[in-house]
Amino acid sequence: MMTQPLVSVRDLKKHFTMGGPLFAPKPVLRAVDGVDLDIRRGETLGLVGESGCGKSTLARTLIRLYEPTTGSMVFDGQDVAHLSERDLVPFRRRVQMIFQDPYASLNGRMTVRDLIAEPLEIARIGTPESRTAKVHELLARVGLHADHANRFAHEFSGGQRQRIGIARAIALEPDLVICDEPISALDVSVQAQVVNMLEDLQDQLGLTYLFITHDLSMVRHISDRIGVMYLGKIVELASNTDLYARPSHPYTQALLASIPVPDPTATRPADPVRGEIPSAMAVPSGCRFRTRCPMATELCASSEPALRDIGGGHLAACHYAGEAAP
Amino acid sequence: MTAATMGTPILSVRDLATSFFSQRGEVQAVRGVSFDVHPGEILGIVGESGSGKSITCMSVLRLLKATGRIKSGSALFDGQDLLALDEADLRDIRGNKIGMIFQDPMTSLNPTLTVGEQVIETILRHRQATRSEARARAIELFELVRIPSAAARLKSYPHEFSGGMRQRVMIAIALACDPKLLIADEPTTALDVTIQRQILGLLRDLQARLGMAVILITHDLGVIAEVTDRIVVMYGGLVMETGPVRDLFARPMHPYTRGLLASVPDLRDDSHKRLTPIPGSPPDMAHPPAGCPFTARCPHAMRQCAAALPPLFGDSHAARCWLHHAEAPRIAGINEVAA
Ligand SMILES: Nc1ncnc2c1ncn2[C@@H]1O[C@H](COP(=O)(O)OP(=O)(O)OP(=O)(O)O)[C@@H](O)[C@H]1O
Ligand SMILES: Nc1ncnc2c1ncn2[C@@H]1O[C@H](COP(=O)(O)OP(=O)(O)O)[C@@H](O)[C@H]1O
Ligand code: SF4
Ligand code: SF4
Ligand SMILES: [Mg+2]
Ligand SMILES: [Mg+2]
């Protein structure tokens, strides 16, 4: 029997109602617009997509910072999509988030000790002494020193602040850690330090990661499987090897062809995709990629392709995925 | 094209030093930077955040905030030292002979004016033209940067454009007066890869067609490899290595450049092989180290490195590292070239 996924999301939507003229229907921004996604225990699931495609909104919905508009969200057997704040308490301990901006996401007036102990205090775990001991253990895990505990976050470099954020996120020994662009604010020379550390922590603590990024080289390095998001939906999902070897959705193909490679002798295709990303307030009918898709047909304007298995667990939402070009 | 065949540079920066002064004391952002840009070439400036890339260019254009001061150096552009010109002459060069694009197009565009008015205003400021001539030129520029329905889009406000479109508008404004030099500071950092690809292709295409020189600042080694002819690698307010792009990627001479190239994952490799980061973090420019600024992170540091700042060793491809001194030990791949 296949073990159940840790997270199983079906047709998840998070829509935002925007302001507009008084006597007109309120415009709706479809930030997350029908996501199907399973996250397996112990894996790193990478999530890539252009800015504004809904990655962070999906992450915030998955940790129930937002209540979904519709859809189901099963975490370890329990649907948490519409649970009340009180019933969410156990869930909140088991799912944590690491944010993009290590400058903005930590309170500069708190010491490192207090920042890392805060989740333990809120969850009423341990005594002040045992919490301090735990903080020292966590600091060691993320490669900081015990004597850093009494300093303030603003005294640290970006890479060190991100380590503090990670220590805070793993304090409650969560099952799932959602990493929302955890390295994109860091210097190139420091990014690899943080990625290696995240990989070590996963091995030591058996963590499951949802790793959101726009860095297509890093996501390949760190992920077991990768989901590609476009305008609020997952349009392709496959193992990292499969995705890069056989990208099957035209958007994924364009995305991979656009990656700048640090090799001046590499040959590069011309603009792989034309046009601009449509607004999430005016999602095209049928296939949402059709306004930029080089292979769009009439069918694509009238009928929305479902995310389907095109073989070996490789999922793609394109009418023609898995076939020769139409 | 090699340095020798390129003739007179369009911009020649020598020994530029710029500091900021605050209660914290002096922050030595740029500490003696020299480089040339030749007509028709794209020069890449790469380095991590805080290494002095932007302040170098802001100094050349004399656009520093009030707390910043150029301490020494010269910047010869078209035979004139920009650092010695009076403000009125400089204003005539900025936005005219030198175009500029910055990372965040939203903060550089005026949100209360239509994009068309902003392009037309730039043209009228520097050129003898009637309003309708300027408008015709604006349409031409929008077509040049491939904004669809150019004439209609002149009437749009910046917030009505996507990030990629706004960056096209910025490029159109920067090109309005046929600049000889375009300075682009992280022009695609805020954009997505598919849009980044479009903008980089556009820049390269325009550079070839209009024959201008471009300085492209970025921290992305992929972007550097993709579009530039020559590179300047900055670290701790200094040029650490400079050379033709292919040479520099094939044979990096500086331990920092090597570390940088080794720390990015190889896109062609899905083996989950551990990454090789550079340990530590960049120096604090309020207290820059006396010797080589990379000493604390360098796997090859010697006693000499902390004692004295190395000069640039080499010619068209050069590195600021003591390993290239005749008496230094041989290190495979750095100063010992495989037979
Ligand atoms: N207004 C300022 N006041 C004080 N120090 C400053 C100021 N602006 C820049 N600096 C300092 O100057 C140094 C170089 O900054 P600069 O902005 O050129 O770096 P950069 O390479 O462009 O970095 P980034 O990629 O983050 O933009 C840094 O140490 C920075 O902290
Ligand atoms: N609280 C909010 N109210 C209105 N719109 C929002 C809100 N949060 C996000 N959005 C919009 O939802 C879309 C997806 O945003 P986001 O998930 O942050 O994108 P990403 O993280 O992929 O860059 C964007 O168009 C964004 O402007
Ligand atoms: S369904 Fe049609 S428009 Fe959508 S990606 Fe496939 S071919 Fe392109
Ligand atoms: S000068 Fe010394 S410390 Fe600096 S890069 Fe060269 S070997 Fe390393
Ligand atoms: Mg985001
Ligand atoms: Mg900068």
Side-chain angles (χ1 to χ4, degrees):
Chain A
M1 191 188 94
M2 281 274 280
T3 53
Q4 260 195 355
L6 180 62
V7 180
S8 191
V9 162
R10 288 295 172 270
D11 200 25
L12 190 73
K13 295 187 180 169
K14 179 63 195 170
H15 293 175
F16 297 104
T17 311
M18 312 296 283
L22 274 182
F23 296 98
K26 281 198 169 172
V28 171
L29 189 149
R30 291 149 65 177
V32 171
D33 201 27
V35 161
D36 295 333
L37 186 68
D38 285 346
I39 307 176
R40 300 174 184 162
R41 280 168 216 274
E43 80 168 337
T44 298
L45 180 70
L47 188 65
V48 296
E50 290 165 310
S51 114
C53 75
K55 304 181 298 294
S56 300
T57 305
L58 176 61
R60 292 197 193 105
T61 311
L62 284 175
I63 63 170
R64 273 298 313 269
L65 265 172
Y66 294 146
E67 183 168 351
T69 307
T70 61
S72 71
M73 224 166 78
V74 176
F75 178 84
D76 200 14
Q78 184 187 26
D79 192 342
V80 295
H82 302 287
L83 283 189
S84 71
E85 207 39 60
R86 216 179 67 200
D87 293 333
L88 276 173
V89 170
F91 167 80
R92 291 221 183 283
R93 278 196 201 181
R94 299 180 61 189
V95 181
Q96 296 292 325
M97 181 128 147
I98 300 169
F99 296 91
Q100 167 169 5
D101 188 349
Y103 299 89
S105 59
L106 297 174
N107 182 344
R109 286 187 300 267
M110 286 169 76
T111 63
V112 168
R113 188 237 161 244
D114 291 344
L115 280 168
I116 299 176
E118 189 179 50
L120 298 163
E121 272 153 27
I122 293 171
R124 296 208 188 82
I125 292 173
T127 62
E129 292 72 39
S130 74
R131 287 198 285 265
T132 300
K134 177 83 182 170
V135 167
H136 290 163
E137 180 213 313
L138 288 164
L139 283 173
R141 274 203 190 281
V142 298
L144 294 172
H145 302 291
D147 59 1
H148 284 140
N150 295 320
R151 290 164 59 182
F152 293 91
H154 68 80
E155 298 173 44
F156 293 88
S157 70
Q160 287 172 319
R161 282 188 227 207
Q162 201 53 293
R163 289 167 190 267
I164 297 167
I166 292 168
R168 193 176 140 97
I170 61 173
L172 293 174
E173 296 167 15
D175 299 279
L176 174 66
V177 179
I178 296 181
C179 312
D180 190 2
E181 306 256 10
I183 54 166
S184 43
L186 303 179
D187 282 322
V188 180
S189 77
V190 176
Q191 290 182 354
Q193 295 174 7
V194 172
V195 166
N196 280 351
M197 195 193 63
L198 285 171
E199 292 184 312
D200 290 344
L201 290 172
Q202 180 168 45
D203 289 345
Q204 293 159 12
L205 306 173
L207 301 171
T208 302
Y209 288 143
L210 177 66
F211 193 93
I212 299 175
T213 180
H214 62 261
D215 183 335
L216 291 151
S217 310
M218 199 58 92
V219 81
R220 170 162 211 195
H221 168 80
I222 200 168
S223 309
D224 298 301
R225 295 188 304 145
I226 299 171
V228 180
M229 204 165 165
Y230 187 78
L231 266 187
K233 261 196 138 121
I234 306 277
V235 294
E236 184 159 5
L237 195 148
S239 73
N240 65 354
T241 315
D242 238 28
L243 191 86
Y244 285 77
R246 279 177 297 283
S248 299
H249 193 285
Y251 173 63
T252 314
Q253 290 162 357
L255 203 59
L256 296 188
S258 301
I259 307 172
V261 190
D263 174 2
T265 60
T267 51
R268 299 174 162 85
D271 284 9
V273 66
R274 63 198 150 104
E276 297 280 317
I277 308 159
S279 154
M281 293 168 71
V283 177
S285 67
C287 174
R288 55 197 63 216
F289 187 56
R290 70 176 165 83
T291 53
R292 300 170 77 199
C293 183
M295 349 193 307
T297 63
E298 263 169 47
L299 173 67
C300 306
S302 58
S303 147
E304 178 162 19
L307 186 64
R308 63 193 165 85
D309 195 331
I310 57 166
H314 188 140
L315 310 180
C318 165
H319 292 307
Y320 306 103
E323 296 174 14
Chain B
M1 210 162 37
T2 68
T5 63
M6 281 186 292
T8 322
I10 179 80
L11 175 70
S12 190
V13 175
R14 285 295 170 273
D15 304 314
L16 177 71
T18 299
S19 287
F20 291 90
F21 295 89
S22 66
Q23 307 96 303
R24 264 181 81 214
E26 179 181 354
V27 176
Q28 301 178 35
V30 177
R31 301 197 291 152
V33 162
S34 303
F35 62 87
D36 289 337
V37 191
H38 297 270
E41 80 166 338
I42 305 189
L43 176 78
I45 303 185
V46 65
E48 41 208 309
S49 149
S51 61
K53 308 179 295 292
S54 304
I55 301 303
T56 295
C57 292
M58 300 297 246
S59 303
V60 167
L61 296 165
R62 300 222 324 252
L63 289 172
L64 295 170
K65 296 216 176 71
T67 52
R69 213 182 70 215
I70 298 170
K71 291 167 61 183
S72 64
S74 60
L76 282 187
F77 173 78
D78 225 4
Q80 288 174 298
D81 185 359
L82 299 178
L83 305 187
L85 278 186
D86 64 47
E87 185 57 34
D89 289 336
L90 195 64
R91 254 199 306 271
D92 193 44
I93 290 180
R94 264 191 237 129
N96 183 18
K97 289 183 184 164
I98 303 182
M100 298 160 286
I101 318 171
F102 299 103
Q103 172 166 353
D104 182 359
M106 202 53 195
T107 57
S108 350
L109 288 170
N110 182 339
T112 64
L113 290 178
T114 66
V115 292
E117 282 167 88
Q118 300 186 54
V119 183
I120 291 167
E121 201 176 84
T122 308
I123 298 167
L124 291 177
R125 196 180 316 135
H126 295 291
R127 286 278 186 278
Q128 297 284 316
T130 65
R131 248 199 104 71
S132 74
E133 281 163 358
R135 192 171 174 281
R137 171 80 179 134
I139 295 174
E140 198 181 291
L141 286 163
F142 271 33
E143 280 164 358
L144 191 67
V145 298
R146 303 187 209 133
I147 295 176
S149 353
R153 292 318 299 256
L154 285 181
K155 294 193 209 81
S156 304
Y157 287 89
H159 72 264
E160 295 173 294
F161 280 113
S162 67
M165 283 297 203
R166 281 200 287 268
Q167 203 52 288
R168 285 170 204 263
V169 173
M170 285 309 298
I171 297 176
I173 292 177
L175 296 179
C177 299
D178 299 315
K180 292 185 171 174
L181 173 66
L182 179 69
I183 298 181
D185 189 352
E186 305 266 9
T188 58
T189 301
L191 306 177
D192 301 293
V193 281
T194 57
I195 307 295
Q196 164 168 288
R197 168 55 66 90
Q198 293 172 0
I199 299 286
L200 292 179
L202 178 68
L203 270 181
R204 210 173 19 197
D205 184 44
L206 292 173
Q207 180 268 333
R209 271 209 283 165
L210 309 176
M212 62 186 174
V214 178
I215 299 178
L216 178 72
I217 299 180
T218 173
H219 63 271
D220 187 328
L221 293 165
V223 169
I224 284 280
E226 194 146 307
V227 291
T228 65
D229 301 307
R230 266 186 331 118
I231 325 181
V232 165
V233 181
M234 285 190 69
Y235 188 85
L238 292 165
V239 174
M240 284 304 193
E241 183 164 1
T242 173
V245 67
R246 286 187 178 224
D247 241 34
L248 204 139
F249 274 78
R251 289 189 308 113
M253 287 170 65
H254 198 284
Y256 170 64
T257 315
R258 286 166 59 88
L260 210 54
L261 288 169
S263 69
V264 298
D266 185 346
L267 186 63
R268 291 156 289 204
D269 180 21
D270 64 348
S271 63
H272 288 264
K273 181 176 81 205
R274 256 181 105 71
L275 298 175
T276 37
I278 303 177
S281 47
D284 174 3
M285 298 317 289
H287 310 281
C292 167
F294 193 54
T295 310
R297 308 173 75 188
C298 181
H300 311 295
M302 304 164 283
R303 215 149 45 87
Q304 170 69 357
C305 306
L309 180 67
L312 275 166
F313 291 92
D315 36 59
S316 70
H317 182 180
R320 190 184 288 285
C321 170
W322 284 120
L323 286 175
H324 297 283
H325 188 277
E327 286 163 38
R330 304 286 102 187
I331 308 272
I334 294 188
N335 52 12
E336 189 179 69
V337 182

